[in-house]
Amino acid sequence: MRQPQPTFEVDGAVIRHRRMQMGLEMSELAERADISRRYLSHLENGTRTHMRPRRYTALCKALNADTEALLAPQRTHTPKE
C-alpha cells in the first residue's frame, strides 16, 4: 500500500500578491515555475490549496520566496463549549 505524498497548503492571496509585486503576468510565472497557467489560477483563487513538494519548491524559486512564505496560516482548533 502506497503512502500518500505530503503536500503544502498554500495561501493563494500571498502567491498573487508576490506575483504582482514582481510585475509578472500569470503566464510568465507559470512558465518560470513549470506549471500550467490554469493550475496557477486555481492556486491564486483558492480552488486548489495543496501542492506537491516539487511544484511548491519550483513556485517558491520562481517567486524568490523562502519555503515558508507561501504557506497558508495554520488554523487553530478551538473546542466548543
Side-chain angles (χ1 to χ4, degrees), residues 1-75:
M1 182 185 243
R2 288 178 30 173
Q3 294 289 330
Q5 284 193 330
T7 60
F8 292 90
E9 187 175 359
V10 297
D11 185 331
V14 171
I15 294 169
R16 179 183 299 113
H17 180 75
R18 288 188 74 108
R19 175 179 61 78
M20 294 176 87
Q21 275 188 319
M22 292 178 72
L24 295 172
E25 294 293 327
M26 235 185 229
S27 56
E28 292 173 292
L29 177 57
E31 186 176 322
R32 287 183 185 193
D34 195 28
I35 59 178
S36 72
R37 186 193 173 289
R38 183 175 180 187
Y39 182 76
L40 178 58
S41 176
H42 286 188
L43 291 170
E44 286 191 2
N45 70 31
T47 303
R48 183 170 212 131
T49 58
H50 288 83
M51 297 182 77
R52 293 217 171 130
R54 184 188 64 76
R55 286 183 174 167
Y56 180 74
T57 301
L59 184 60
C60 287
K61 184 177 178 182
L63 287 170
N64 298 321
D66 65 52
T67 56
E68 307 277 316
L70 307 180
L71 297 177
Q74 295 297 314
R75 292 179 279 226

